[in-house]
Amino acid sequence: MLLRLILQTASMLALQGMALLAGAGTARWPAGIAFLAILGTGSLAMGLWLLRRDPALLRERMTLPIHADQPGHDKLLLLALGLLWFAWLHAMGADAAARGFAGLPFALHALGALLLLAGHALIAWTFAANSFASPALRLQRDRGHRVIDTGPYAYVRHPMYAGALPLFLGIPLFLGSPLGLLAVPVFVGLLALRTRWEEQALRQGLPGYAAYAQRVRHRFVPGLW
């Protein structure tokens, strides 16, 4: 599985790098290269950690997120998210280049870096608590799927999506692309839609989830949402 992890991480990083740097029109872009380094290092480090700590979760997350028991609308949403992600990277590269790679003050670049770290940390905490954090919307009866209410799940019902929120905001800030910020509400809206579908499936098919949802009232941000 180690070789598969390395190859899959490298191939995904290459595709994302092509989208970002093609938009920029150059590879001589320190912020872009730094972002790709953070993305690749974070993905590989998390994969190696899961390989040691929870190989079943790593195997689930490395599998193509298309399953027979997965609703068709979730497959379409994942496809839309993937296409939007690559289009977003390309657009941010082009926007940063159009601004001479100096579109935002340094303080906002630094804030973007902090948001990237915060998002990765929250997602890692989610993986540590929940061995069923699949990228696909499905009940994992083959893996003994059960309600998780520890770790970040004691505070919000969807901490992995909560971790995606600072990532979506931090990436355009780090890259210096004001235009990239316009896509953030779109990503948030799509995540909110998917959360609604996921909640319906879990309430109907996962014993104990309805009671858990009564105890933990918020989905993404404690006390707010």
Side-chain angles (χ1 to χ4, degrees), residues 27-35 101 174:
R28 301 178 67 178
W29 177 21
I33 297 301
F35 168 70
F101 301 110
F174 185 81

Side-chain angles (χ1 to χ4, degrees), residues 61 65 67 70-71 73-75 77-78 81 133-138 158 160-161 187-202 219-220:
R61 295 200 62 83
H67 299 268
Q70 179 185 5
H73 54 72
D74 188 56
K75 298 175 184 178
L77 181 60
L78 287 179
L81 279 169
S134 172
L137 198 170
R138 71 186 191 97
H158 300 276
M160 187 160 62
Y161 297 156
F187 280 113
V188 173
L190 290 174
L191 283 185
L193 176 61
R194 193 176 198 230
T195 300
R196 180 180 177 184
W197 294 343
E198 190 170 324
E199 290 269 327
Q200 291 174 345
L202 292 173
R219 299 180 181 184
F220 298 124

Side-chain angles (χ1 to χ4, degrees), residues 30-32 34-35 38 104 108-110 112-113 116 169-177:
F35 168 70
I38 292 171
L104 293 173
L108 291 180
H109 287 276
L116 287 176
L169 183 58
I171 290 171
L173 292 178
F174 185 81
L175 293 175
S177 171

Side-chain angles (χ1 to χ4, degrees), residues 88-89 91-93 95-96 99 103-105 108-109 111-112 115 165-188:
W88 189 46
L89 290 176
M92 285 189 291
D95 184 44
R99 298 171 186 275
L104 293 173
L108 291 180
H109 287 276
L111 176 60
L115 289 170
L165 300 181
L167 289 179
F168 290 145
L169 183 58
I171 290 171
L173 292 178
F174 185 81
L175 293 175
S177 171
L179 180 65
L181 294 170
L182 298 178
V184 175
V186 178
F187 280 113
V188 173

Side-chain angles (χ1 to χ4, degrees), residues 19 21 57 79 97 100 118 140 156 215 223:
L21 299 179
L57 175 57
L79 176 61
Q140 302 168 62
V156 293
R215 297 195 309 272

